[in-house]
Amino acid sequence: MKVRYTLSRSLVVERSWPFFLDLTVAFGLLAGFYAVLQIAHYWMSGAVPEVQISQSPRMLPLYAFYSVVRIGVAYLLSLLFAVVYGYIAAYHRRLEALMIATLDILQSIPVLSFLPGVMLAMMSLVPSRQLGIEFGAILLIFTGQVWNMAFSFYSSLKSIPRELHEACTINRFSRWQRLWQLELPYAAIGLVWNSMVSVAGGWFFLMVCEMFPVGDRQFRLPGLGSYLQTAASTGNSLAMTYGLLTMVAIIVLTDQLVWRPVIDWSDKFKFENVEAADRVKSPVLAALRHSNMLAAIQRHTLVPLSESIYRSLARRNAKRLASSEQKPRSRVAAFLSWLLLIVVLGVVCFAAFKAILLLKQVPRSEVGTILLGAVATFFRVNISLLLAAAWTIPVGVAIGFNPRLARIAQPLAQIAASFPATALFPVILIGLMKLGAGLSIGSVALMMLGTQWYILFNVIAGAMAIPSEMREVATLFRFPNWQRWTTVILPGIFPYLITGLVTASGGAWNASIIAEYFHLKDQTLRTTGLGAQISAASDAGNFPVLLLATIIMALMVVTINRLVWRPLYHLAETKYRLD
């Protein structure tokens, strides 16, 4: 009787488990639909640029919801931009150098340099709705998330093994098939880990993007970032604690419900011939795979749709290959291309002329101060990069090689990377001042807090992408540690490491606007630096100085990238690739 009772109970659990999964999925879909309705209602309401931020813990769920939506929408835009931009830059050699240089410039321009133009433009586009202000904040968060993802996808495309490209050519894959069946899967691991650090970067700049001054106006949006900044400025430590605990809870839930399943799913795209014995596993993904509702949706909608798309693409590609005639380029198309080029050049020349007129208003004494600040910020950025690389490379390799350690360290790294360093910085700064140090040293610490995660997450992705058979060969031949590092680990992670260093360098320049100019209660602390110049000019609405400082920062970053990072990228593409 006991055996029969045990068998019947296990049978009931086995039959009821898919029902509970389907019920959970249904509730999740309904909750998502309700959230879309609520956010649409709020965005289409009247514009309120300056919202009173309540420090009551009861408002935290609503503020957290608004912030999560902003970061989520900014991330989706970043992912779309990264794939499109990286694809064009990787496969169009005439545009590649220009597009990568443009990417270097854009990632080096601080968020505060975007603030006035973006917010005023969005408010003028949608003047009577909250949508304009919200979309302005989303675009600002987008500027802190997108660049490392674009660099990651671009470098992954450039390092795809030649035999995989040849296999696609032999099987006559269309560009769409090549993208979905080769390029996106090959770049999946790098994109996943750079997505995590991008979202962490969104949390880092949330306090800046939800509450900031532009000249005489003060923009303040309801959200977790503005809640934390209001609590920090008023010295309300209890509200700060509640806000930080809420942020940590969101990060942990995001890790368990989103990132851990995505990492488990992306492991199947690892380029290897032997499956790894130990890998990151997600109970959430395993449960979703047993959902009857999701299986039905995939079977009746996604699979037939993808098959019909691939069939139509195959027929179109076959017709194109069967036709031996090369159609001459249409004169109308050529005329429109030249017309578009002339219009773009005209707009660029007009903008450059306006910029020159604006730069003439900068006093000569201010130019010398800006150049001196640029030199100071240059040394701080490079010191922070060296200190960050010294610990992130060995730790990242250890996490990437050990899935058990990754299960513990990954959520901790996510929390640490997403933790707003601007909230922790007052404590660090007060401690350094008691030791006799000032903002010059404290700014290096803040730069590290904001940019070291770019290196760490890219090194983890590179270590996870190393084929298992290469590590097994090193173990079989009993390589000593130094030989394992020089022949397996460093060559394997090299493309990812360069991506991490490039984005960390741009992030350090970007973080200088907060690190060198800091509001602490009723006083403003600043040190000599280009970031301090940009922050002070933004607060005062001094647009000529803001423009000049931004141009100098962009020129310095582009020069470093062309002289240092670009040759290392070429080395990663030619020597350290899996062929």
Side-chain angles (χ1 to χ4, degrees):
M1 292 293 293
K2 187 176 181 179
V3 175
R4 183 179 299 175
Y5 171 73
T6 304
L7 291 175
S8 62
R9 185 174 62 180
S10 62
L11 186 61
V12 169
V13 171
E14 185 179 353
R15 290 181 176 179
S16 60
W17 177 240
F19 171 75
F20 285 114
L21 282 177
D22 293 339
L23 194 63
T24 303
V25 171
F27 276 123
L29 294 175
L30 289 175
F33 180 71
Y34 178 75
V36 170
L37 291 180
Q38 289 298 313
I39 203 67
H41 179 266
Y42 168 63
W43 283 359
M44 297 310 295
S45 61
V48 183
E50 189 173 352
V51 178
Q52 286 299 117
I53 304 299
S54 171
Q55 298 185 41
S56 172
R58 296 179 180 177
M59 298 299 294
L60 277 173
L62 181 62
Y63 289 164
F65 170 68
Y66 287 148
S67 296
V68 168
V69 169
R70 293 184 191 113
I71 291 177
V73 174
Y75 167 72
L76 293 177
L77 292 176
S78 301
L79 181 61
L80 179 62
F81 178 90
V83 171
V84 174
Y85 198 94
Y87 186 90
I88 296 174
Y91 291 122
H92 292 75
R93 295 192 174 183
R94 293 183 179 179
L95 300 176
E96 182 178 5
L98 176 62
M99 294 183 71
I100 297 303
T102 304
L103 200 62
D104 291 337
I105 295 173
L106 290 176
Q107 75 150 349
S108 65
I109 297 177
V111 173
L112 285 181
S113 300
F114 287 105
L115 277 175
V118 169
M119 294 307 300
L120 295 177
M122 291 298 103
M123 288 188 65
S124 62
L125 286 176
V126 192
S128 60
R129 301 293 180 187
Q130 187 71 17
L131 177 63
I133 305 173
E134 288 289 331
F135 200 67
I138 288 170
L139 286 180
L140 293 173
I141 298 173
F142 165 87
T143 60
Q145 290 184 341
V146 66
W147 317 122
N148 61 300
M149 294 174 63
F151 272 117
S152 173
F153 190 67
Y154 164 78
S155 74
S156 295
L157 294 183
K158 299 296 286 187
S159 60
I160 293 177
R162 295 184 182 90
E163 57 265 27
L164 295 182
H165 280 299
E166 292 172 358
C168 292
T169 303
I170 292 172
N171 288 281
R172 297 182 177 181
F173 278 15
S174 64
R175 291 184 179 180
W176 187 257
Q177 288 174 298
R178 190 188 299 260
L179 174 66
W180 283 101
Q181 297 185 7
L182 171 62
E183 292 155 352
L184 283 177
Y186 189 84
I189 295 178
L191 273 179
V192 167
W193 285 92
N194 274 280
S195 295
M196 287 190 284
V197 75
S198 290
V199 173
W203 285 108
F204 180 82
F205 284 108
L206 192 67
M207 294 175 67
V208 179
C209 297
E210 289 185 347
M211 186 174 176
F212 51 88
V214 177
D216 298 332
R217 303 189 65 176
Q218 180 75 28
F219 286 89
R220 194 159 49 230
L221 299 176
L224 198 53
S226 55
Y227 179 91
L228 288 170
Q229 190 168 347
T230 302
S233 61
T234 57
N236 190 340
S237 58
L238 185 60
M240 279 285 295
T241 304
Y242 283 132
L244 292 176
L245 288 176
T246 303
M247 181 176 289
V248 169
I250 294 172
I251 294 166
V252 171
L253 286 174
T254 305
D255 173 73
Q256 294 298 317
L257 299 178
V258 179
W259 298 128
R260 185 67 62 85
V262 170
I263 290 173
D264 187 2
W265 168 79
S266 66
D267 190 75
K268 66 181 181 180
F269 300 123
K270 192 173 180 180
F271 184 66
E272 60 184 1
N273 296 320
V274 179
E275 186 178 2
D278 196 7
R279 47 190 284 261
V280 177
K281 295 182 180 180
S282 169
V284 174
L285 181 62
L288 290 176
R289 283 171 174 165
H290 289 85
S291 171
N292 293 327
M293 179 181 293
L294 292 179
I297 292 174
Q298 182 179 9
R299 186 168 57 253
H300 296 292
T301 58
L302 298 180
V303 173
L305 180 62
S306 62
E307 289 180 352
S308 63
I309 291 175
Y310 282 134
R311 278 198 299 268
S312 63
L313 289 174
R315 286 194 294 266
R316 185 181 303 176
N317 197 33
K319 290 180 180 179
R320 184 178 62 84
L321 292 173
S323 177
S324 58
E325 295 182 2
Q326 296 288 336
K327 294 183 178 180
R329 190 180 180 185
S330 173
R331 292 185 178 180
V332 176
F335 173 76
L336 291 177
S337 301
W338 280 104
L339 181 62
L340 179 61
L341 179 62
I342 292 172
V343 170
V344 171
L345 289 177
V347 171
V348 170
C349 292
F350 179 76
F353 176 72
K354 288 290 185 180
I356 292 173
L357 294 180
L358 197 62
L359 292 176
K360 286 184 177 181
Q361 304 177 20
V362 180
R364 291 185 178 181
S365 59
E366 195 73 28
V367 175
T369 304
I370 293 174
L371 293 177
L372 179 63
V375 175
T377 304
F378 172 78
F379 283 106
R380 293 193 190 101
V381 166
N382 287 282
I383 291 172
S384 65
L385 276 181
L386 290 175
L387 294 176
W391 79 268
T392 54
I393 293 176
V395 171
V397 170
I399 295 174
F401 278 4
N402 192 338
R404 293 182 180 178
L405 178 61
R407 281 193 287 269
I408 302 173
Q410 180 205 327
L412 296 178
Q414 272 290 108
I415 294 172
S418 305
F419 195 87
T422 47
L424 186 63
F425 193 54
V427 180
I428 298 175
L429 187 58
I430 291 172
L432 290 172
M433 292 177 68
K434 288 183 179 180
L435 295 175
L439 192 61
S440 297
I441 298 177
S443 58
V444 176
L446 185 59
M447 287 181 186
M448 281 187 60
L449 289 173
T451 61
Q452 58 194 351
W453 312 111
Y454 292 106
I455 307 175
L456 177 65
F457 281 80
N458 274 282
V459 170
I460 294 174
M464 293 183 67
I466 294 177
S468 301
E469 56 264 28
M470 292 179 64
R471 294 162 53 187
E472 292 174 1
V473 167
T475 304
L476 182 64
F477 285 94
R478 298 180 181 179
F479 283 6
N481 285 333
W482 67 269
Q483 191 175 9
R484 186 187 298 266
W485 273 89
T486 55
T487 59
V488 177
I489 298 176
L490 286 178
I493 68 171
F494 191 78
Y496 296 86
L497 177 61
I498 297 303
T499 299
L501 289 172
V502 169
T503 52
S505 176
W509 283 98
N510 212 328
S512 67
I513 62 174
I514 305 172
E516 297 174 347
Y517 187 91
F518 196 80
H519 296 285
L520 186 62
K521 293 186 178 180
D522 297 331
Q523 57 179 337
T524 301
L525 303 177
R526 62 178 296 175
T527 185
T528 302
L530 199 56
Q533 292 282 340
I534 292 175
S535 297
S538 178
D539 282 356
N542 191 347
F543 296 114
V545 172
L546 178 64
L547 178 62
L548 178 60
T550 302
I551 290 174
I552 291 176
M553 181 177 286
L555 289 176
M556 291 187 68
V557 173
V558 170
T559 302
I560 295 169
N561 286 345
R562 302 304 296 179
L563 296 179
V564 179
W565 304 123
R566 191 54 44 208
L568 292 176
Y569 256 128
H570 180 71
L571 185 65
E573 296 167 6
T574 55
K575 185 175 181 180
Y576 298 112
R577 55 187 292 171
L578 293 171
D579 280 332

